[in-house]
Amino acid sequence: MPPLPPFPPFSSTPSRALVVAALRAAGCVFAEDEAELLLAAAPTPGELATLVDRRITGEPLELVLGWAEFSGLRIAVEPGVFVPRRRTEFLVEQALAHVPDAAVVVDLCCGSGAVGAALAAALGPVELHAADIDPAAVRCARRNIPEADGQVHTGDLFEALPVGLRGRVDILAANVPYVPTDEVKLLPAEARDHEPLVALDGGSDGLDLLRRVAIEAPDWLTQGGCLLVETSERQAPAAVEAFTRAGLRTRPAVSEEEYAHVVIGTRP
Ligand SMILES: C[S@@+](CC[C@H](N)C(=O)[O-])C[C@H]1O[C@@H](n2cnc3c(N)ncnc32)[C@H](O)[C@@H]1O
């Protein structure tokens, strides 16, 4: 398909129908909903033209808007940072169902910090720590988890965390990268072109980071504390095995509606 021409600047606010038509022509499935959001986000016709142009040339809607909806929150997102997916709300729900009175929460591989922010919003005052290896993610997470609400650390998995957290964590949420290396090229262009490899590539079977997290998690969890990860359907049995081998009492959970697979491991 030849590239779409740039969306022309408007001299006055264009009709909603014109924006919908442009989005639809570019293949946006939810053109009506997106048009509403873009119209609401642009204070002038010129800015609207820029936003629509960015969207129809393939930028994810969330990056164009600068935010993503997640668990009822508006999460700031930035270029080069993983956009939180709605299916990950299922991981948040499972964490809350398993440890409803959690006092210490860690969001490992936090990206934008959406998971940690959502858990804290639901739990009320908690000790919240989030961590990521990518400085761009850490910067973005600090916007979603201001200092008053929690601490955001930089580093490789558990190395980023204060040692004083060992044995005290009630919820350890770790939405690690889990796409097998050979399958990264099969992802939709919005992910391939706009999200960093470090946020997607989970190694040959996609479970390299998940296994590392499972091995170390029991040292950080309190008794009855839970580790939660997201996987694909195909990966879930291997993830359950890794958790069980690490000494966690393990169970998989599935949301057919969200097409989400979560593995939950409790420290006995
Ligand atoms: C799939 S994204 C998930 C982001 C966020 N938790 C969410 O659900 O939206 C995975 C994140 O893991 C981070 N990451 C990758 N390798 C890491 C490592 N060794 N240590 C810490 N973070 C890592 C990436 O930078 C990315 O932000």
Side-chain angles (χ1 to χ4, degrees), residues 78-82 109-113 131-144 152-154 196 198-199:
E78 294 178 6
V81 177
F82 186 86
C109 295
C110 67
S112 65
D132 202 284
I133 200 165
D134 183 351
V138 169
R139 255 194 322 274
C140 182
R142 287 196 175 125
R143 289 178 62 196
N144 294 306
V152 186
H153 313 278
T154 313
V198 69

Side-chain angles (χ1 to χ4, degrees), residues 26 49 60 68 86 95 103 124 178 182 189 204 207 236 250 265:
R86 296 298 297 269
Y178 61 86
D182 283 350
S204 60
L207 299 175
T250 307

Side-chain angles (χ1 to χ4, degrees), residues 79-192:
V81 177
F82 186 86
V83 174
R85 309 295 202 261
R86 296 298 297 269
R87 69 166 170 274
T88 306
E89 293 174 356
F90 183 60
L91 185 153
V92 171
E93 289 161 20
Q94 288 297 310
L96 295 171
H98 279 77
V99 200
D101 53 356
V104 180
V105 172
V106 170
D107 178 3
L108 205 59
C109 295
C110 67
S112 65
V115 171
L119 286 168
L123 288 163
V126 286
E127 181 178 344
L128 172 64
H129 296 263
D132 202 284
I133 200 165
D134 183 351
V138 169
R139 255 194 322 274
C140 182
R142 287 196 175 125
R143 289 178 62 196
N144 294 306
I145 304 174
E147 253 176 77
D149 296 345
Q151 294 176 48
V152 186
H153 313 278
T154 313
D156 182 21
L157 297 184
F158 296 94
E159 278 176 23
L161 299 178
V163 288
L165 277 177
R166 276 183 187 273
R168 295 181 48 232
V169 178
D170 297 307
I171 293 177
L172 176 54
N175 189 18
V176 300
Y178 61 86
V179 181
T181 304
D182 283 350
E183 293 177 23
V184 171
K185 59 179 181 291
L186 307 177
L187 290 172
E190 286 191 11
R192 260 187 293 121

Side-chain angles (χ1 to χ4, degrees), residues 6-255:
F7 201 55
F10 307 109
S11 50
S12 60
T13 302
S15 72
R16 186 180 169 280
L18 200 57
V19 176
V20 171
L23 293 170
R24 197 170 285 139
C28 299
V29 179
F30 301 107
E32 281 86 1
D33 296 341
E34 294 198 12
E36 291 299 344
L37 292 166
L38 293 170
L39 281 157
T44 66
E47 282 166 87
L48 179 59
T50 303
L51 296 187
V52 175
D53 196 34
R54 284 173 61 192
R55 181 63 187 128
I56 65 179
T57 51
E59 219 175 305
L61 176 69
E62 295 83 354
L63 289 185
V64 174
L65 295 171
W67 58 270
E69 190 184 335
F70 187 81
S71 294
L73 302 177
R74 196 175 266 212
I75 298 293
V77 293
E78 294 178 6
V81 177
F82 186 86
V83 174
R85 309 295 202 261
R86 296 298 297 269
R87 69 166 170 274
T88 306
E89 293 174 356
F90 183 60
L91 185 153
V92 171
E93 289 161 20
Q94 288 297 310
L96 295 171
H98 279 77
V99 200
D101 53 356
V104 180
V105 172
V106 170
D107 178 3
L108 205 59
C109 295
C110 67
S112 65
V115 171
L119 286 168
L123 288 163
V126 286
E127 181 178 344
L128 172 64
H129 296 263
D132 202 284
I133 200 165
D134 183 351
V138 169
R139 255 194 322 274
C140 182
R142 287 196 175 125
R143 289 178 62 196
N144 294 306
I145 304 174
E147 253 176 77
D149 296 345
Q151 294 176 48
V152 186
H153 313 278
T154 313
D156 182 21
L157 297 184
F158 296 94
E159 278 176 23
L161 299 178
V163 288
L165 277 177
R166 276 183 187 273
R168 295 181 48 232
V169 178
D170 297 307
I171 293 177
L172 176 54
N175 189 18
V176 300
Y178 61 86
V179 181
T181 304
D182 283 350
E183 293 177 23
V184 171
K185 59 179 181 291
L186 307 177
L187 290 172
E190 286 191 11
R192 260 187 293 121
D193 297 345
H194 294 278
E195 293 181 321
L197 196 58
V198 69
L200 304 170
D201 188 347
S204 60
D205 69 350
L207 299 175
D208 282 4
L209 277 105
L210 183 148
R211 288 196 189 88
R212 287 178 57 203
V213 170
I215 287 168
E216 279 202 60
D219 284 347
W220 295 83
L221 290 171
T222 187
Q223 234 180 358
C226 281
L227 165 65
L228 300 101
V229 298
E230 192 175 278
T231 69
S232 68
E233 181 177 10
R234 181 162 42 102
Q235 292 167 327
V240 167
E241 194 188 319
F243 274 39
T244 307
R245 216 179 305 131
L248 297 168
R249 204 169 57 229
T250 307
R251 80 172 194 86
V254 181
S255 162

